[in-house]
Amino acid sequence: MSIPARQLTLNHQLRQYGNLVKLAMIRTTPQIIEVWTMSGSRLRFHPAQQVEAKWVVQ
């Protein structure tokens, strides 16, 4: 499912290189969304940028 980056929460898993990755932390500013994955990767998105993510109920 494709959603704007500003709607990402820690209950989402992000699709990266064909795999779903768990999110460890999200930092939101008006200009940028920074996302850290459980594997230690840091990704940056514009708030309106579409990202592939799946809602996961813990």
Side-chain angles (χ1 to χ4, degrees), residues 46-57:
H46 294 287
Q49 183 176 342
Q50 294 290 310
V51 295
E52 287 292 318
K54 181 180 178 187
W55 178 261
V56 178
V57 178

Side-chain angles (χ1 to χ4, degrees), residues 5-54:
R6 69 176 158 271
Q7 293 180 4
L8 278 174
T9 69
L10 292 179
N11 287 327
H12 282 97
Q13 287 186 358
L14 200 59
R15 187 168 298 281
Q16 187 179 32
Y17 309 120
N19 299 314
L20 288 172
V21 294
K22 292 184 178 182
L23 305 182
M25 188 170 80
I26 300 172
R27 190 175 81 171
T28 303
T29 68
Q31 293 84 21
I32 200 157
I33 310 292
E34 282 188 296
V35 176
W36 283 263
T37 66
M38 289 294 199
S39 61
S41 298
R42 184 177 72 167
L43 309 167
R44 291 181 172 192
F45 303 107
H46 294 287
Q49 183 176 342
Q50 294 290 310
V51 295
E52 287 292 318
K54 181 180 178 187

